[in-house]
Amino acid sequence: MKLWSKGFEPDKMIEEFTVGRDRELDMRLARYDVQGSLAHIKMLESIGLLTADELDVLTSGLNDIADMIERGDFEIASGVEDVHSQVEFLLTAKLGDIGKKIHSGRSRNDQVLVDLKLFMRDELLSLVRAVKKLFDKFQTLSERHKNVLMPGYTHLQVAMPSSFGLWFGAYAESLIDDVRMILAAYDIANQNPLGSAAGYGSSFPLDREMTTRELEFAELHYNVVAAQMSRGKTERAAAMAIASVASTLGRFAMDVCMFMCQNFGFISFPDEFTTGSSIMPHKKNPDVFEIMRGKCNRLQSVPNEIALLNANLPLGYNRDLQLMKDIMFPATTELIRCLDMCVMMLDHIQVREDVVDDPRYDYMFTVEDVNRMTLGGMPFRDAYKTVGMQVQNGEYKPTRSVCHSHIGSIGNPATERIALKMQNVLDGFGSRL
Ligand code: ARG
């Protein structure tokens, strides 16, 4: 059964090919579809296209469907194309001709856009919440281990003293920039496309400002063509934010794998958080972080997939856009799972406190000794040369005391400032967060 049925049913293969995964993916849009319809009919009544009684009947019909969705009783029947059709069919089956009135001044093109905007707004908020949990975890670990030294590397060669506090704190602060990206995507999603109809507006005097208020969008997509163009563009911004978080998390996962390796041996996890080998009895593998790294690497291809799907599409609605859902929907879910998993693992991370006592890290103290001599009055280049010659001749003995005090350094990791910076960005999401 089709909303656009005119007495013939399309070929079964055509139907299957064009509907694709919509019946499954659209389930996530169901509650937003009802929310959009509730705002739309309220507006239709205000411009005289529905009577007050009709509005009441339709509102309670839609609320019943919303309850069905909440209870998990809603499904998109086979033979029904998508969630938009299913909601309208249910309403008409229940209310008769009144149900057929809700689609005035609307097309599935702007209907799906509204659903997606509302959905993505919520998804991005869920993503921010998951990022914030990981941020808090990093901050706590940074504070807890701020006095535990570890080697810092450049070119993956032992370089200078660093600390576990700096390592964890670095990922905390890095996540703030990812949240800025999410906020940008959120602002792009938070605009009302309703009333753009098929993509060119309507001859009904639609009150688009009213639906903007009803759906609590921050802004309107004024130009109806721009509203339609926002499909794909909204996803692209969200995908970039997802990729940004994934890049931070993927790098952290790599660090963990490396630092768990016996050649480093900086951190470990209780046995039950590691995995074994079927042949090597001693193995405790970091599979969680390897899977996380792999997933995060894959997630970084999402903006590319979206960009290619969108490339050179002509103006207006094109069915290709339906495939955005196949790419976007699993991506956020996958990323949130990785973030949650990381928090869970970090609840159990064990940090080795005496890493830098190992003589293999002696040379990381050379710069400390050069600086000490320089503070004592020797020109930097002479101090550098003196210590350099000691190393060259095998006579270097590290002092092993580290006193970095400037902001953002080992002795002053600025955890509170970083917390404040995050809060300022989070404030941009307003009260919905
Ligand atoms: N499933 C469609 C999508 O996601 C809904 C819009 C259908 N519009 C149309 N003109 N066929 O894009």
Side-chain angles (χ1 to χ4, degrees):
M1 194 166 31
K2 306 281 167 296
L3 286 172
W4 41 271
S5 175
K6 288 168 219 66
F8 67 91
E9 283 296 308
D11 181 276
K12 265 269 149 284
M13 302 254 294
I14 301 292
E15 151 104 17
E16 256 176 52
F17 189 73
T18 51
V19 169
R21 292 180 64 198
D22 258 14
R23 272 186 212 114
E24 165 203 343
L25 295 175
D26 274 12
M27 289 296 287
R28 296 184 70 182
L29 297 181
R31 50 188 288 238
Y32 304 105
D33 200 72
V34 172
Q35 195 185 346
S37 290
L38 282 166
H40 183 65
I41 56 170
K42 206 163 167 186
M43 184 276 292
L44 288 183
E45 190 269 339
S46 78
I47 60 168
L49 280 173
L50 289 175
T51 66
D53 287 347
E54 286 171 336
L55 175 62
D56 281 351
V57 174
L58 285 167
T59 303
S60 81
L62 281 168
N63 281 332
D64 288 346
I65 298 176
D67 290 344
M68 247 174 108
I69 296 165
E70 231 40 66
R71 285 198 309 272
D73 292 342
F74 176 87
E75 55 183 49
I76 301 171
S78 64
V80 173
E81 273 187 310
D82 51 31
V83 67
H84 328 293
S85 313
Q86 181 68 37
V87 171
E88 195 173 320
F89 285 138
L90 278 178
L91 209 58
T92 309
K94 197 167 163 207
L95 306 176
D97 281 352
I98 300 181
K100 296 181 191 161
K101 290 193 167 188
I102 64 166
H103 211 54
S104 313
R106 188 172 73 167
S107 151
R108 278 183 301 164
N109 296 354
D110 66 339
Q111 199 176 344
V112 65
L113 260 172
V114 174
D115 294 4
L116 286 168
K117 294 272 194 184
L118 295 171
F119 169 75
M120 292 221 285
R121 210 166 65 169
D122 276 358
E123 285 287 284
L124 291 168
L125 289 175
S126 301
L127 179 58
V128 174
R129 288 187 199 106
V131 170
K132 175 64 167 45
K133 270 195 230 142
L134 181 58
F135 171 86
D136 289 341
K137 178 55 62 186
F138 280 139
Q139 288 278 85
T140 307
L141 289 168
S142 171
E143 195 56 31
R144 185 179 307 155
H145 300 291
K146 68 177 174 201
N147 296 320
V148 184
L149 293 183
M150 74 191 285
Y153 297 83
T154 66
H155 312 264
L156 206 50
Q157 302 287 308
V158 173
M160 279 182 64
S162 180
S163 69
F164 284 92
L166 278 189
W167 179 48
F168 290 122
Y171 282 97
E173 188 168 0
S174 196
L175 285 175
I176 302 176
D177 288 334
D178 301 330
V179 174
R180 289 185 207 279
M181 301 280 286
I182 304 174
L183 179 57
Y186 179 83
D187 286 339
I188 291 172
N190 200 10
Q191 304 177 79
N192 183 19
L194 192 58
S196 59
Y200 300 93
S202 165
S203 53
F204 293 123
L206 306 176
D207 184 349
R208 302 188 62 213
E209 313 264 7
M210 178 176 171
T211 54
T212 304
R213 284 192 304 277
E214 283 297 317
L215 295 168
E216 295 177 349
F217 279 114
E219 268 281 8
L220 188 56
H221 270 302
Y222 294 102
N223 181 308
V224 287
V225 181
Q228 192 51 235
M229 278 169 70
S230 78
R231 186 140 185 218
K233 204 160 180 173
T234 314
E235 284 89 340
R236 193 173 176 146
M240 284 173 171
I242 285 171
S244 189
V245 177
S247 141
T248 308
L249 188 58
R251 288 187 77 175
F252 179 71
M254 172 61 208
D255 284 358
V256 170
C257 293
M258 187 166 72
F259 292 158
M260 263 179 85
C261 160
Q262 289 81 356
N263 296 71
F264 290 82
F266 297 174
I267 53 172
S268 55
F269 291 90
D271 290 354
E272 60 274 31
F273 293 92
T274 60
T275 45
S277 152
S278 61
I279 179 172
M280 297 165 283
H282 65 284
K283 289 302 281 297
K284 286 175 186 148
N285 292 328
D287 291 24
V288 171
F289 287 97
E290 291 174 300
I291 296 285
M292 195 184 294
R293 182 175 59 193
K295 282 181 185 285
C296 286
N297 286 344
R298 283 191 63 196
L299 284 167
Q300 288 175 74
S301 73
V302 173
N304 208 25
E305 283 185 63
I306 299 276
L308 290 178
L309 181 56
N310 219 21
N312 304 336
L313 284 189
L315 220 58
Y317 177 82
N318 302 279
R319 189 74 181 263
D320 321 39
L321 293 168
Q322 177 175 297
L323 301 176
M324 290 281 167
K325 294 186 280 196
D326 297 44
I327 306 170
M328 277 311 292
F329 286 18
T332 341
T333 310
E334 195 80 285
L335 182 55
I336 293 174
R337 264 188 85 198
C338 287
L339 289 161
D340 290 348
M341 189 52 84
C342 191
V343 172
M344 186 188 120
M345 291 300 284
L346 289 179
D347 278 341
H348 302 279
I349 193 168
Q350 293 153 348
V351 165
R352 222 180 86 198
E353 308 248 334
D354 61 351
V355 172
V356 298
D357 293 347
D358 190 317
R360 83 178 71 194
Y361 303 121
D362 279 0
Y363 293 135
M364 77 178 195
F365 294 99
T366 55
V367 182
E368 306 305 300
D369 288 315
V370 168
N371 290 359
R372 207 166 287 116
M373 288 177 189
T374 309
L375 284 169
M378 191 186 283
F380 174 81
R381 194 47 66 204
D382 292 345
Y384 173 95
K385 191 120 207 194
T386 307
V387 174
M389 288 316 292
Q390 288 171 0
V391 171
Q392 190 71 17
N393 301 328
E395 294 156 0
Y396 174 72
K397 293 266 171 308
T399 322
R400 286 186 186 280
S401 86
V402 173
C403 55
H404 293 204
S405 60
H406 71 75
I407 194 149
S409 68
I410 301 172
N412 186 3
T415 317
E416 277 163 31
R417 298 275 193 104
I418 290 172
L420 206 64
K421 198 206 262 194
M422 177 59 118
Q423 195 50 54
N424 285 336
V425 181
L426 291 176
D427 286 347
F429 290 91
S431 57
R432 219 174 260 129
L433 190 64

